Amino acid sequence: MKHFRNIGIIAHIDAGKTTLTERILFYTGKEYTIGEVDQGTATMDWMEEEQKRGITITSAVTTCYWKPNLSSAIPTDSEYRLNIIDTPGHVDFTAEVERSLRVLDGAIGVFCAVGGVEAQSETVWHQANRYHIPRLVFVNKLDRIGSDFFAVLSQMSEKLDTCPLALQIPLGKEKEFYGVVDLIRMKAILFGEAMDDKTFRLINIPSDTLFIAQKYHEKLIETLSEKDDAILEPYLAGREIPLHNLVSSIRKLTLSCKITPVFSGSAINNIGIQPLLDAICAYLPSPLDLAPLCGLNSEINKPAFRKHSPDEYLSALVFKTMTERYGELSYLRIYSGQLEQGKTLYNPRTNKKERISKLFLMHANQRDAINSAQAGEIVAVIGLKNTATGDTLCDTRHPIVYERMVFPEPVVVIAIEPKTSVERDKLAFALSKLAHDDPTFQVKTDEETAQTIISGMGELHLEIIKNRILNEYKVMANVGAPQVAYRETILHSVEGQGTFNRKIADKEHFASISLRIEQDKSITKPSVHNLTDDATPKQFLPAIEDAIKSSLTSGRLAGYPLIYLKVSIISAGVHEQKSSEIAFSGAASIALQDALKKTPSILLEPIMKFEILTPEANMGDVINDLNKRRATIESVEMLGQSRRIHGKIPIAETFGYANVLRSITSGMGSYTLEPADYQPRLSGAASN
């Protein structure tokens, strides 16, 4: 297991993640030809929509092997097993990044040398921070006009709250970029010129680069000495520090997230791939480097721990499901124990047992059947019937539940309906499968119009869902235009009281509850707090909570879900014989509606953070257009001959913006959006 590396490739859209992954597959011998994103031949972008659009939509898993060959400071007697997840870069598919990071041990952040630290780069970086994932950075596209390796280092320090440590600097610049300088060994590395040439050679650092190489080598040693006493002592004494000591220090500081090693290259030109592969083996963690996992023993409701070891009781997390022609694939990260084909596991959430029919090692959409897998591996299984994304599977006699993932709420909705009654069942089947696979895609029926409403993270997300319904599931359907997923909240704190006293099926049911609801902008999803201590029997609390959350899905103002709400149970009336789950559920609903009647509600609209890249000559026109769209400009950055504009904008004003920006900038502009928060919708603002 010390040779396992579970890593993800994360970055902003178009930074070159998939191109880098394709080179890794080629250099490790997993693939014998290099797939290209622009040509639709990338192995990891296997979906039809990905190949057509040239972007990654769904995270893809693969396994390859690498034997380090550039650094004598790490063992080269064994191959390292790299389990890699290539993740999307578009904000609409942030859930794919979230669930991948949940099960990864390390990551490679890919930054464009021209664009630097872009909006989605920041988003995925902070996602990785939440899971305390050690990272390396690969500064890509150093062959492009306007590329600047050192500007990226500066942006990392300013925007990512990290300590970037350059282990390489580029040789040459822009079109003249031809290799890298290894700052640890102070050697230059040149790479084969032919596309299929895997060779490289070490040379002395050219004289025109030697001065800056010495400067950054000294900076490297200084940074390590500041953070590691093992380097500080020989540094202060003026002694030469052995290569293996430097590598050991870099590894230790990387694993503790105190530094982020930075590498340089051009994936499209096959520059810098081998050193990066060596660095993955040298600096990123194996499962054995990780602390034991903490979960919850669902039987006794107390913490439980599992070491990353095949000798422990089995536990695994389902981080992704995908429906295919041959059944449903569930992707697992095995944290402890061993998993064999035919084994029966336990799902604590559903309280049901699951049998593993088949076990696979995945390579994008290709699968290789295997008989068993162990702790530290990422595999896919067939045969799970009552398991969803985020569920824990474990040994039937030793239950454990790991923390589930939290996904953002959808912000865009569209209506969809079958063209004929014959298509109704096909549409329902397609929607249920897509919603099961994608936790940010939701389906509901409008009670007033009986229309089916689907919700997603943005225009592109729903556009791809629509195309999959029409083309992949062969459903003939009418699809409406995108609309905003509004929300509601209350203006004042208020209390409500509810009593349920009815006879149902010859049995009397009684309960009474007093509630207080108040606005809390730190809570995106309503939360329920019990202030009654022992006054409410614990067996009734789940029913009360479910009733409250169900009642909050439709507000009194316009029927939109309520957010930013904290609900507290103040008191409860209990009857020894008559109280039941039905009674407390009914009393909670009545109390909540009573409270909502006493306070006015307001409509909230989703606000997006935007980042727009535009030529300097078009900046005035772009800003004028943004002002008409109720946007707030927060900052403008200089980026060579371009300008990067940051700000916030209501999502209602962004529909169709891609075409508008393309027109203003003659096709030279680009933009990204990211959910920010919800704000009161101004009267007179554009509606759908």
Side-chain angles (χ1 to χ4, degrees):
M1 287 179 65
K2 70 179 181 180
H3 293 119
F4 285 12
R5 298 292 184 270
N6 293 311
I7 62 171
I9 315 292
I10 60 175
H12 185 90
I13 189 171
D14 203 32
K17 297 179 306 301
T18 302
T19 301
L20 174 61
T21 308
E22 293 297 318
R23 268 59 185 178
I24 289 175
L25 295 179
F26 176 70
Y27 278 88
T28 58
K30 185 72 175 182
E31 293 287 334
Y32 296 103
T33 58
I34 298 177
E36 299 293 357
V37 174
D38 294 343
Q39 298 172 13
T41 58
T43 304
M44 304 300 277
D45 285 350
W46 57 271
M47 292 179 65
E48 181 181 346
E49 287 289 327
E50 292 178 314
Q51 294 171 351
K52 184 166 60 176
R53 297 172 184 271
I55 62 171
T56 301
I57 294 169
T58 182
S59 54
V61 181
T62 189
T63 298
C64 55
Y65 298 85
W66 178 252
K67 193 170 183 178
N69 52 24
L70 272 172
S71 175
S72 59
I74 55 176
T76 58
D77 57 339
S78 299
E79 284 189 319
Y80 285 72
R81 172 174 173 162
L82 311 182
N83 298 318
I84 301 174
I85 302 182
D86 178 31
T87 66
H90 196 286
V91 68
D92 282 16
F93 311 106
T94 188
E96 288 289 322
V97 183
E98 184 75 26
R99 56 187 179 182
S100 298
L101 289 172
R102 176 65 178 81
V103 298
L104 292 172
D105 304 332
I108 302 170
V110 183
F111 295 157
C112 172
V114 180
V117 179
E118 299 169 276
Q120 187 64 3
S121 299
E122 290 188 66
T123 300
V124 297
W125 193 269
H126 296 313
Q127 283 177 290
N129 283 344
R130 288 204 303 272
Y131 295 113
H132 307 289
I133 295 176
R135 276 145 283 175
L136 310 178
V137 161
F138 183 72
V139 180
N140 193 25
K141 302 188 178 183
L142 281 162
D143 58 307
R144 296 284 185 90
I145 295 175
S147 62
D148 191 335
F149 175 82
F150 304 103
V152 177
L153 290 179
S154 177
Q155 290 177 30
M156 286 181 63
S157 297
E158 295 169 4
K159 296 184 176 183
L160 302 181
D161 191 27
T162 188
C163 175
L165 184 67
L167 300 190
Q168 294 176 352
I169 60 171
L171 279 172
K173 189 174 182 180
E174 299 179 341
K175 291 183 178 180
E176 304 302 321
F177 173 62
Y178 64 98
V180 302
V181 174
D182 182 339
L183 294 174
I184 299 179
R185 290 182 298 169
M186 291 300 284
K187 288 286 185 180
I189 309 174
L190 305 184
F191 302 88
E193 295 182 2
M195 286 300 291
D196 59 351
D197 191 349
K198 297 182 180 181
T199 63
F200 59 87
R201 58 193 177 98
L202 300 178
I203 64 170
N204 291 328
I205 300 173
S207 57
D208 60 351
T209 312
L210 186 57
F211 175 77
I212 193 168
Q214 289 173 335
K215 173 185 172 183
Y216 274 88
H217 172 76
E218 187 65 25
K219 190 172 183 178
L220 184 156
I221 304 297
E222 287 178 2
T223 302
L224 295 179
S225 66
E226 289 171 1
K227 299 178 181 294
D228 187 356
D229 290 342
I231 302 298
L232 178 61
E233 184 180 346
Y235 174 70
L236 293 177
R239 299 197 304 268
E240 184 176 348
I241 304 171
L243 176 64
H244 69 272
N245 286 10
L246 292 176
V247 171
S248 176
S249 177
I250 294 168
R251 176 177 175 79
K252 179 173 67 175
L253 296 173
T254 302
L255 296 189
S256 62
C257 296
K258 292 181 179 178
I259 63 168
T260 303
V262 182
F263 299 83
S264 55
S266 168
I268 195 78
N269 290 320
N270 305 325
I271 297 176
I273 310 301
Q274 297 103 316
L276 182 65
L277 284 166
D278 278 9
I280 292 169
C281 303
Y283 305 126
L284 290 181
S286 78
L288 297 180
D289 293 309
L290 307 176
L293 249 75
C294 179
L296 183 72
N297 185 324
S298 54
E299 288 187 345
I300 60 176
N301 200 33
K302 289 186 177 180
F305 295 88
R306 293 287 186 275
K307 294 179 181 177
H308 297 265
S309 167
D311 300 324
E312 278 270 17
Y313 299 120
L314 188 137
S315 67
L317 185 73
V318 179
F319 67 94
K320 178 182 171 74
T321 61
M322 178 168 287
T323 303
E324 292 188 330
R325 288 184 300 173
Y326 306 109
E328 183 179 294
L329 273 178
S330 299
Y331 289 77
L332 310 179
R333 162 67 192 268
I334 305 173
Y335 284 112
S336 60
Q338 300 188 54
L339 179 62
E340 296 88 24
Q341 182 177 311
K343 191 178 183 72
T344 298
L345 303 178
Y346 174 62
N347 185 335
R349 181 184 66 85
T350 60
N351 195 27
K352 292 186 177 180
K353 294 181 179 180
E354 296 275 24
R355 185 177 181 275
I356 305 300
S357 300
K358 291 184 179 180
L359 193 59
F360 299 105
L361 202 60
M362 298 301 296
H363 177 47
N365 64 328
Q366 303 168 31
R367 51 177 104 165
D368 295 323
I370 54 178
N371 295 319
S372 63
Q374 67 164 33
E377 295 192 47
I378 295 175
V379 296
V381 301
I382 282 182
L384 306 184
K385 297 180 180 178
N386 299 288
T387 297
T389 297
D391 284 355
T392 303
L393 296 176
C394 57
D395 187 279
T396 53
R397 290 172 295 180
H398 302 88
I400 190 171
V401 179
Y402 294 128
E403 183 182 2
R404 292 179 65 86
M405 291 164 272
V406 178
F407 299 104
E409 288 291 309
V411 293
V412 177
V413 302
I414 58 175
I416 186 169
E417 58 184 22
K419 288 188 175 181
T420 66
S421 57
V422 177
E423 299 291 308
R424 192 173 302 279
D425 289 342
K426 289 171 63 178
L427 177 61
F429 174 79
L431 293 176
S432 67
K433 290 297 182 183
L434 291 167
H436 179 71
D437 293 348
D438 184 349
T440 59
F441 173 64
Q442 296 179 5
V443 182
K444 71 173 185 178
T445 301
D446 188 304
E447 295 181 359
E448 293 184 2
T449 64
Q451 280 186 311
T452 299
I453 306 297
I454 59 177
S455 310
M457 295 305 298
E459 278 188 281
L460 180 60
H461 186 198
L462 290 182
E463 175 73 15
I464 288 169
I465 291 285
K466 180 193 77 173
N467 289 345
R468 291 189 66 188
I469 292 170
L470 300 179
N471 302 324
E472 187 177 320
Y473 288 92
K474 309 297 183 185
V475 178
M476 292 187 294
N478 295 316
V479 183
Q483 296 184 345
V484 178
Y486 292 105
R487 295 290 184 266
E488 297 180 24
T489 195
I490 61 172
L491 285 177
H492 311 298
S493 298
V494 69
E495 294 183 4
Q497 201 277 333
T499 300
F500 188 94
N501 189 5
R502 296 181 190 174
K503 191 173 184 179
I504 303 175
D506 297 327
K507 184 177 179 181
E508 292 189 5
H509 298 264
F510 171 82
S512 66
I513 287 182
S514 292
L515 303 174
R516 181 173 64 249
I517 57 175
E518 52 195 315
Q519 189 183 115
D520 187 341
K521 289 194 174 181
S522 66
I523 303 171
T524 53
K525 293 185 178 181
S527 64
V528 181
H529 302 264
N530 180 29
L531 305 180
T532 64
D533 297 325
D534 297 329
T536 307
K538 291 183 179 179
Q539 67 266 31
F540 298 138
L541 290 177
I544 295 172
E545 187 170 338
D546 288 346
I548 291 172
K549 290 185 176 179
S550 176
S551 297
L552 292 174
T553 58
S554 180
R556 294 177 58 82
L557 182 63
Y560 293 109
L562 289 115
I563 62 170
Y564 298 152
L565 285 190
K566 177 182 177 181
V567 182
S568 301
I569 304 171
I570 301 172
S571 63
V574 184
H575 190 284
E576 190 172 336
Q577 281 82 35
K578 297 180 181 180
S579 290
S580 62
E581 287 189 357
I582 293 174
F584 272 104
S585 178
S589 296
I590 295 169
L592 189 68
Q593 293 304 320
D594 179 55
L596 291 174
K597 290 176 185 176
K598 300 174 181 178
T599 178
S601 298
I602 56 171
L603 197 62
L604 303 174
E605 63 179 341
I607 304 298
M608 308 296 283
K609 288 194 291 186
F610 66 80
E611 181 180 281
I612 298 174
L613 190 65
T614 175
E616 182 180 10
N618 304 117
M619 187 176 72
D621 292 335
V622 170
I623 289 179
N624 286 337
D625 181 72
L626 288 172
N627 289 333
K628 295 175 185 177
R629 296 173 182 271
R630 300 187 286 140
T632 302
I633 310 296
E634 296 180 340
S635 65
V636 178
E637 286 181 66
M638 295 181 63
L639 204 66
Q641 298 300 311
S642 300
R643 295 293 180 268
R644 188 149 59 194
I645 307 169
H646 298 267
K648 292 183 178 179
I649 187 171
I651 196 171
E653 305 289 353
T654 66
F655 295 154
Y657 185 65
N659 292 331
V660 174
L661 183 63
R662 194 178 299 120
S663 174
I664 293 174
T665 63
S666 302
M668 299 295 290
S670 63
Y671 77 102
T672 56
L673 298 173
E674 176 187 345
D677 55 16
Y678 285 84
Q679 294 180 8
R681 181 170 176 266
L682 301 176
S683 58
S687 64
N688 305 201

